[in-house]
Amino acid sequence: MAVDCCDTNEKHRSPLKIETLKKNQERAPEDVKRIIEWMRNKSGIRVHSGKIENGPLVDYFRGKIAVRTLLSPSFSKLKGVNHPTNEQEAIQLLKDMQQYMFYQRVDRLGEKKPRPLAILDLPFEMEGYYAWFYEASQRWLYIGAAILAIGTLAIIMFPVWPQQLREATSYLSMGALCILGAFVALAAIRPVIYGITRIILHPGIWILPQLFADVGILESFQPLYEWNYPKEKKEKRSKKKEETVSNKKDSKKANKPKNESSSIKEE
């Protein structure tokens, strides 16, 4: 069966024609271009590296991964496109988009890296492999390169900066170093304080318990300290506080009608 499969793939092999790729991609509708742009740059679809026979290096993906990507909740948020609701609709959408040659079906030829690939003139199937012929966005690469070049040039030209600007830069750098040093010192002191307070005042106190938590900048400095109670005890305490607050509210509501009735009687 494997030999028959390889033979059929050899029959459907076709050469890479760059001009044909560009023409087909240019005539693609806007909604198709949006989907391709999302799949290539924002979907996080898993790709592998390969090399087309007598052609360029490419990224390629598996058909069933693309189907799952089009059925994901993140794709449903993309506006101005058709959203498939099941597997068959996703397969049909990928079949329809294949004619614009943003991706082409390929056959894997060996185990070398990058993996040798041959283009196949076959329709979309979930178990097939497909090479990208649409480059990912290079915008952030260009922005990063520009920032790096400007920063390097600025450092080289530091001796010819105006005196006031050089003084301001030195003050800022010293301030940044002081902040960094304070942060490192705080990170080193926290476990020491916790160890001492755990012995003297069990269960111990953590200074800035949210400092390394996955929270915002302001939230990482709140609260200033916290007792090292187990999570279960913390949950019980918070529940007790909620219960006491709710009981107080209920008692106030219950007392209101009594007070009103007594005032009416007095009148």
Side-chain angles (χ1 to χ4, degrees), residues 16 89 100 105 122 134 176:
L16 177 63
E89 289 182 5
Y100 302 110
R105 188 167 176 178
L122 289 172
Y134 178 76

Side-chain angles (χ1 to χ4, degrees), residues 99-237:
Q99 63 180 307
Y100 302 110
M101 302 181 77
F102 291 105
Y103 53 87
Q104 286 292 290
R105 188 167 176 178
V106 292
D107 185 20
R108 301 190 300 176
L109 302 179
E111 298 294 333
K112 292 192 300 181
K113 291 185 179 180
R115 200 155 193 168
L117 304 171
I119 297 175
L120 300 177
D121 188 13
L122 289 172
F124 184 89
E125 291 180 0
M126 286 188 66
E127 296 303 321
Y129 293 90
Y130 300 86
W132 279 114
F133 292 101
Y134 178 76
E135 290 298 325
S137 177
Q138 303 293 320
R139 179 178 59 185
W140 291 109
L141 181 63
Y142 295 147
I143 292 171
I147 292 171
L148 181 62
I150 293 169
T152 305
L153 183 62
I155 292 170
I156 293 170
M157 299 295 290
F158 182 77
V160 298
W161 286 15
Q163 184 65 27
Q164 292 180 348
L165 188 59
R166 280 187 288 173
E167 288 178 0
T169 305
S170 63
Y171 291 142
L172 286 173
S173 59
M174 290 297 293
L177 287 173
C178 290
I179 292 170
L180 181 62
F183 188 81
V184 172
L186 182 61
I189 291 170
R190 285 176 72 249
V192 175
I193 294 174
Y194 168 70
I196 293 170
T197 54
R198 186 174 176 81
I199 297 170
I200 300 172
L201 301 169
H202 189 78
I205 298 173
W206 276 110
I207 303 298
L208 298 174
Q210 302 288 335
L211 187 62
F212 298 106
D214 188 14
V215 294
I217 295 173
L218 295 176
E219 288 82 0
S220 61
F221 295 96
Q222 297 174 354
L224 292 176
Y225 68 92
E226 187 178 57
W227 290 95
N228 187 41
Y229 289 116
K231 289 184 178 180
E232 293 180 359
K233 289 186 178 180
K234 287 180 182 178
E235 290 175 358
K236 286 180 180 178
R237 290 191 170 204

Side-chain angles (χ1 to χ4, degrees), residues 28-45:
E30 286 300 320
D31 59 339
V32 171
K33 289 179 180 178
R34 284 197 196 98
I35 295 172
I36 294 298
E37 176 71 20
W38 181 85
M39 287 181 64
R40 189 71 170 109
N41 297 319
K42 299 177 182 179
S43 67
I45 188 171

Side-chain angles (χ1 to χ4, degrees), residues 234-252:
K234 287 180 182 178
E235 290 175 358
K236 286 180 180 178
R237 290 191 170 204
S238 62
K239 285 181 180 178
K240 284 182 180 179
K241 286 182 180 179
E242 290 176 359
E243 287 177 359
T244 53
V245 171
S246 62
N247 289 334
K248 286 180 180 179
K249 288 181 179 179
D250 293 337
S251 61
K252 286 180 180 179

